[in-house]
């Protein structure tokens, strides 16, 4: 199967029109006409990921976060981005990234599904036409009213994370939840305006956390990687279902840092 044929499938799932203007998505390295038999899926194009993709003979590397965000003045091995791009090109591996387009068309509902959130709506509208409104995050009702402590345990179990950070009273009862995979600090106001009791997200700093509580919003921080790693299994299932002729590999699920 040609690389461009796979791209057509990926973009039918998460059209590029849903990506933010500042984002850098799509085919970032490689040949559209390359014959692809083996795909490697990861959240980030780290050196370890690229090395494993090379060792497995991957023809296409698919990630959520783009390796290339800023303009590259040159590609050489003097810096870590250049080394990775060089390795991809040298080994004739096509590299495709699905970032904010997947956040809107894929990640948001997948995260809400993990938490069984119902009666859901878009948390932050980023795209609107005559037919629909789409955007980042979701807000709706939890499967039942529960304490913050019970919800924190539920989040840990559903996203398979070793720990979560909670800003708020563990004894409070919550019912309406917002979920914002990735970095949720800039979406706190959206959650407050939507009437959420709690927001499940990642990358919340001290001031964002205490300010959210002051506005009546509990925060459960399950980590950026903690939630967004669902991209890996989501895309594995999608590609096995839609492109069964391909050989699919995926990176090991492993937290990028340790808490001592």
């Amino acid at each position: 199967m040609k690389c461009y044929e796979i791209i057509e499938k990926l973009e039918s799932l998460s059209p590029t029109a849903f990506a933010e203007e500042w984002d850098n998505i799509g085919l970032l390295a490689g040949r559209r006409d390359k014959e692809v038999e083996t795909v490697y899926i990861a959240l980030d194009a780290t050196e370890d990921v690229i090395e494993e993709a090379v060792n497995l003979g991957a023809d296409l590397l698919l990630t959520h976060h783009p390796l290339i965000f800023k303009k590259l003045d040159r590609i050489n091995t003097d810096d870590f981005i250049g080394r990775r791009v060089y390795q991809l090109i040298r080994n004739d591996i096509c590299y495709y990234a699905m970032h904010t387009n997947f956040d809107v068309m894929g990640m948001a509902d997948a995260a809400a599904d993990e938490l069984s959130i119902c009666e859901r709506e878009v948390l932050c509208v980023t795209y609107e036409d005559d037919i629909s409104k789409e955007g980042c995050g979701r807000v709706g009702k939890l499967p039942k009213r529960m304490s913050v402590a019970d919800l924190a345990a539920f989040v840990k179990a559903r996203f398979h994370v070793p720990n979560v950070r909670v800003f708020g009273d563990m004894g409070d009862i919550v019912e309406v939840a917002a979920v914002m995979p990735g970095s949720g600090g800039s979406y706190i106001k959206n959650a407050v305006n939507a009437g959420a009791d709690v927001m499940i997200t990642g990358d919340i700093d001290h001031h964002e956390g205490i300010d959210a509580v002051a506005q009546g919003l509990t925060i459960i921080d399950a980590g950026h990687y903690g939630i967004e790693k669902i991209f890996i299994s989501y895309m594995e299932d999608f590609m096995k279902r839609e492109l069964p002729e391909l050989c699919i590999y995926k990176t090991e699920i492993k937290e990028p840092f340790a808490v001592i």
Side-chain angles (χ1 to χ4, degrees), residues 6 73 105 114 154 174 229:
I6 297 172
D73 295 318
M105 302 301 287
E114 289 294 329
F154 182 58
V174 293
K229 67 177 182 288

Side-chain angles (χ1 to χ4, degrees), residues 77-95:
T77 59
D78 291 345
D79 70 277
F80 71 100
I81 298 291
R83 282 195 299 273
R84 296 178 195 180
V85 175
Y86 171 77
Q87 278 291 89
L88 290 167
I89 294 173
R90 179 172 180 265
N91 289 280
D92 196 20
I93 297 175
C94 295
Y95 171 49

Side-chain angles (χ1 to χ4, degrees), residues 175-251:
E175 180 178 18
V176 179
V179 58
M180 183 65 214
S183 299
S186 59
Y187 299 92
I188 287 172
K189 183 58 69 177
N190 296 87
V192 171
N193 291 341
D197 303 313
V198 59
M199 182 165 75
I200 299 99
T201 187
D203 291 349
I204 296 296
D205 69 25
H206 171 77
H207 297 288
E208 290 169 339
I210 63 174
D211 289 350
V213 173
Q215 298 173 77
L217 180 69
T218 296
I219 297 288
I220 297 179
D221 186 335
H224 195 128
Y225 180 86
I227 299 177
E228 288 200 331
K229 67 177 182 288
I230 61 177
F231 169 84
I232 299 168
S233 57
Y234 187 107
M235 292 310 304
E236 178 189 27
D237 291 343
F238 174 81
M239 298 194 82
K240 285 183 175 180
R241 182 177 66 251
E242 299 294 327
L243 302 164
E245 62 270 45
L246 296 176
C247 177
I248 308 297
Y249 292 101
K250 62 181 179 180
T251 188

Side-chain angles (χ1 to χ4, degrees), residues 28 45-46 50 63 65-69 80-81 84-85 88 95 97:
L28 303 187
T46 64
I50 293 173
T63 71
H65 297 134
L67 171 62
I68 304 170
F69 256 124
F80 71 100
I81 298 291
R84 296 178 195 180
V85 175
L88 290 167
Y95 171 49

Side-chain angles (χ1 to χ4, degrees), residues 8 32 58 63 70 72 91 93-94 97 104 114 116 132 144 158 160 164 166 186-187 201-202 212 217 221 238 253 258:
E8 288 174 0
R32 288 184 181 274
T63 71
K70 299 178 181 179
L72 296 178
N91 289 280
I93 297 175
C94 295
V104 173
E114 289 294 329
S116 300
S132 65
K144 64 178 180 179
R158 295 304 298 162
H160 306 285
V164 297
V166 178
S186 59
Y187 299 92
T201 187
L217 180 69
D221 186 335
F238 174 81
I253 299 298

Side-chain angles (χ1 to χ4, degrees), residues 96-205:
Y96 191 91
M98 307 169 67
H99 192 209
T100 52
N101 55 324
F102 182 79
D103 285 338
V104 173
M105 302 301 287
M107 184 79 79
D109 278 317
D113 287 344
E114 289 294 329
L115 298 171
S116 300
I117 293 175
C118 60
E119 300 178 32
R120 68 184 70 158
E121 298 179 355
V122 174
L123 179 63
C124 178
V125 175
T126 58
Y127 180 94
E128 185 174 355
D129 58 22
D130 295 336
I131 300 174
S132 65
K133 295 180 180 179
E134 301 293 347
C136 301
R138 295 292 184 265
V139 59
K141 288 188 176 181
L142 291 165
K144 64 178 180 179
R145 287 165 54 85
M146 63 182 82
S147 69
V148 171
D150 286 342
L151 178 56
F154 182 58
V155 169
K156 282 180 61 177
R158 295 304 298 162
F159 288 112
H160 306 285
V161 291
N163 53 66
V164 297
R165 297 189 307 137
V166 178
F167 291 89
D169 191 326
M170 298 292 281
D172 283 351
I173 303 299
V174 293
E175 180 178 18
V176 179
V179 58
M180 183 65 214
S183 299
S186 59
Y187 299 92
I188 287 172
K189 183 58 69 177
N190 296 87
V192 171
N193 291 341
D197 303 313
V198 59
M199 182 165 75
I200 299 99
T201 187
D203 291 349
I204 296 296
D205 69 25

